[in-house]
Amino acid sequence: MARPVGMRPATLRLFLALWPDAALRRRIAAHAGAWTLPSARGRMSPEDWHVTLRYIGGVAVDRIPEVADALAVRCVPFELLLDRPRLWPRGLAVVEA
């Protein structure tokens, strides 16, 4: 598709992530309820909780199907232990492996 000179395609910032199921989100929420966070920050909704595996960056919207196809690989089940709480810049509370 031809684009006018200087016009960039629309992009989205993509990342590869693991999303906990509802049962695991409930367990995490019960644990996180005991955390003391900086007062200026609110909690993210449990539906937004995820484990980022890799930040991909800006990808042209028309290339997203190609990227999705390249990432469609089988993976054997594994256990991930998140046991290092951290406070990132701007008051973002995270738990790292």
Side-chain angles (χ1 to χ4, degrees):
M1 175 173 135
R3 282 190 285 282
V5 174
M7 187 173 200
R8 298 176 63 197
T11 62
L12 291 175
R13 292 174 26 182
L14 302 183
F15 61 97
L16 189 59
L18 300 175
W19 298 85
D21 62 23
L24 183 53
R25 281 196 310 267
R26 284 191 297 274
R27 289 178 52 202
I28 295 169
H31 181 70
W35 300 352
T36 302
L37 300 174
S39 60
R41 300 298 297 188
R43 291 185 188 268
M44 290 179 63
S45 169
E47 290 76 28
D48 293 329
W49 294 348
H50 64 275
V51 176
T52 300
L53 300 175
R54 174 78 178 179
Y55 177 69
I56 297 170
V59 174
V61 170
D62 59 354
R63 290 198 60 218
I64 290 175
E66 173 188 346
V67 172
D69 287 345
L71 294 172
V73 297
R74 294 186 73 74
C75 178
V76 297
F78 60 93
E79 187 171 313
L80 181 61
L81 177 62
L82 301 172
D83 61 352
R84 294 184 308 165
R86 299 280 186 260
L87 191 58
W88 284 6
R90 296 185 293 221
L92 181 60
V94 299
V95 183
E96 300 174 339

